[in-house]
Amino acid sequence: MQDPMTLPTITFWGLIASPYQLKMQALADFAGHRWQRWPDQGSALAGLALLRRLRRALRKAQVERMPARFPDMDEYPSVPFYSFDRKQFFYDSSGLALHLDQLAAEQDAPLLPQDPALRFVCSLIDEAFDEFGLYMVHHNRWVTSAKTNRMGEISGGEFNTLLPGLGRLLTRKLPARQVRRCPYLFSVAPAGFDAGVAPALTPPARDGFPPTHDLLDQAWRQYLAAMEGILTQQPYLLGDRFTLADASAYGQLSMNLVDGLAAELIEELAPATYAWLCAIRDGKHIGSRGDLYLSEPLSALLEAITETFVPLMQQNAAAYQANKDSGETLFNEAAFNRDRSLYDGELQGHPFRAVAKSFQVVVWQDLCEAWQGLDTATQQQLEQRYACLADAKFSGTS
């Protein structure tokens, strides 16, 4: 293991309430990098200067990702970003894992496994939690834990050092903004839904959109049960040590640890998973070493992924192409807010309506290319071990 003093310190611009921030912190911890999370852990003067540099880089499209993606299809996030010198900025939590692996002088425990089969499964789990997992945990924060989550208070507190009054403003405004975004993030309430909170904090229905609360509740429990089946048998998802797959699952699921009722449900439904999340939060994954392997308990998680994430990516890719072929140029949240690029689909027997997301097309293309880059023997090995992968059709089409 490298001496942490020889590694560059990472500055994150992000919020602890973000699952991607949690994921990146866990990655940096495992890789041995010291880090700070700004604005919370920086001074007001330095924080404002960093924010100005970051905004300038965003305006000029100079914030980078590893590996680079198609700039016309990807989107910059709101947070988090990371930098090694507070001058050059990067985004994407999965890209950070690749970045850290490239920076490491020693490769005794890379975050992305070197074995082709393990590497593909690692990437599949990572992307599934990043894309579909976000919908489940966002739903659990604003629907399941509508009365108990503290996201606004926590996030507002992190901005207290930046500008007087900004923290109080965020505490009040940010929750309402996030609740309004629930339908964009796949959580659509049934008509007349009452969460027992103020109207501004009540997750909304949307005309013409089937309700998806039951779908997300069902999927979340399926993922939790699958995680529990693995973590009662082995320390981490791919064996005896931490990888990018663990970081992604941790980032999403641990977001709900501060959300009151959702946290209580995780502990009740999946106690081993709850303890695992707390252990990574507390840094106990640091220094984990051992073999990586594809185990039988992994089957249930891959089945959950191929029943939710994979068909969603396939339907999204088809909708994107159909809209593009018809001359549509607006996608993602901007299109959603204007009722453009919408499509109807189905997951696990539940109908849904969503907007075509160009950045998810790239995610799916990357996975399909990774699958097609495996030799035939490796593909057959994976399909024989996990039958659900044989049905996934990693071809880039629906």
Side-chain angles (χ1 to χ4, degrees):
M1 185 75 178
Q2 284 180 268
D3 181 352
M5 298 302 293
T6 68
L7 297 172
T9 298
I10 302 173
T11 300
F12 294 117
W13 184 269
L15 298 171
I16 197 66
S18 163
Y20 303 106
Q21 178 65 49
L22 294 169
K23 174 183 173 182
M24 293 209 296
Q25 290 176 189
L27 289 167
D29 285 340
F30 180 77
H33 287 256
R34 295 164 294 162
W35 55 266
Q36 287 187 324
R37 187 182 65 255
W38 289 28
D40 183 43
Q41 296 173 333
S43 69
L45 187 61
L48 288 170
L50 184 71
L51 181 57
R52 283 194 295 271
R53 289 195 294 273
L54 173 58
R55 286 181 171 174
R56 187 184 310 118
L58 290 169
R59 285 196 304 272
K60 295 182 177 181
Q62 293 174 342
V63 180
E64 300 179 21
R65 180 190 181 277
M66 293 186 63
R69 279 186 174 171
F70 305 104
D72 59 333
M73 295 180 69
D74 209 359
E75 284 192 326
Y76 286 143
S78 299
V79 290
F81 298 91
Y82 67 96
S83 176
F84 294 101
D85 59 7
R86 299 180 188 167
K87 296 177 182 177
Q88 182 180 17
F89 299 95
F90 299 88
Y91 73 104
D92 191 80
S93 55
S94 301
L96 174 61
L98 180 61
H99 207 152
L100 294 176
D101 278 351
Q102 290 184 355
L103 287 172
E106 301 174 11
Q107 285 290 330
D108 61 318
L111 289 158
L112 277 160
Q114 295 173 342
D115 173 82
L118 281 162
R119 192 179 183 92
F120 175 80
V121 172
C122 182
S123 295
L124 177 60
I125 295 171
D126 170 52
E127 297 292 9
F129 273 101
D130 272 5
E131 301 301 331
F132 187 73
L134 175 67
Y135 299 158
M136 296 187 293
V137 299
H138 192 273
H139 171 82
N140 272 285
R141 169 162 287 169
W142 299 111
V143 179
T144 304
S145 300
K147 295 181 180 180
T148 59
N149 86 70
R150 299 170 49 240
M151 183 269 196
E153 174 189 344
I154 292 170
S155 298
E158 291 189 271
F159 274 88
N160 275 339
T161 61
L162 200 59
L163 283 174
L166 182 57
R168 291 191 299 275
L169 180 65
L170 282 176
T171 298
R172 188 172 70 254
K173 296 289 188 180
L174 194 55
R177 174 186 180 272
Q178 292 300 89
V179 167
R180 288 195 303 271
R181 297 180 71 233
C182 278
Y184 171 67
L185 294 174
F186 219 75
S187 179
V188 180
F193 179 72
D194 183 3
V197 294
L201 298 179
T202 297
R206 186 171 172 119
D207 289 344
F209 282 62
T212 57
H213 285 190
D214 288 346
L215 164 60
L216 291 172
D217 287 336
Q218 171 186 310
W220 185 67
R221 289 170 180 263
Q222 182 182 8
Y223 273 72
L224 274 184
M227 292 285 295
E228 191 73 358
I230 298 169
L231 297 172
T232 54
Q233 299 295 317
Q234 59 196 56
Y236 297 97
L237 298 182
L238 297 181
D240 296 332
R241 70 165 179 85
F242 184 86
T243 67
L244 174 60
D246 300 289
S248 192
Y250 163 76
Q252 297 295 336
L253 296 174
S254 71
M255 180 184 110
N256 291 142
L257 291 182
V258 297
D259 290 337
L261 181 56
E264 294 172 11
L265 284 171
I266 294 174
E267 187 172 18
E268 174 188 342
L269 296 171
T273 303
Y274 180 85
W276 181 82
L277 295 171
C278 293
I280 296 175
R281 178 198 64 193
D282 297 340
K284 295 180 180 177
H285 64 301
I286 300 171
S288 63
R289 293 296 184 270
D291 294 334
L292 297 179
Y293 43 84
L294 296 172
S295 65
E296 185 57 35
L298 194 60
S299 295
L301 180 58
L302 295 180
E303 288 170 5
I305 288 170
T306 55
E307 290 175 8
T308 55
F309 165 73
V310 167
L312 181 60
M313 293 300 101
Q314 291 169 333
Q315 291 172 81
N316 178 75
Y320 171 81
Q321 192 61 52
N323 275 279
K324 189 176 179 183
D325 289 346
S326 69
E328 181 59 82
T329 59
L330 193 64
F331 300 95
N332 307 319
E333 194 162 8
F336 184 83
N337 292 336
R338 300 183 189 182
D339 286 323
R340 290 168 59 177
S341 295
L342 302 178
Y343 71 97
D344 294 306
E346 183 178 297
L347 285 181
Q348 295 189 314
H350 295 270
F352 70 84
R353 176 168 288 179
V355 66
K357 298 180 178 178
S358 60
F359 58 88
Q360 288 186 341
V361 173
V362 180
V363 167
W364 181 239
Q365 287 177 345
D366 286 348
L367 279 172
C368 290
E369 289 175 6
W371 175 263
Q372 292 158 14
L374 298 173
D375 60 45
T376 302
T378 302
Q379 290 179 354
Q380 291 176 344
Q381 170 200 347
L382 287 169
E383 290 176 344
Q384 289 169 2
R385 189 168 187 87
Y386 306 112
C388 60
L389 296 182
D391 300 327
K393 298 178 182 177
F394 295 103
S395 61
T397 65
S398 59

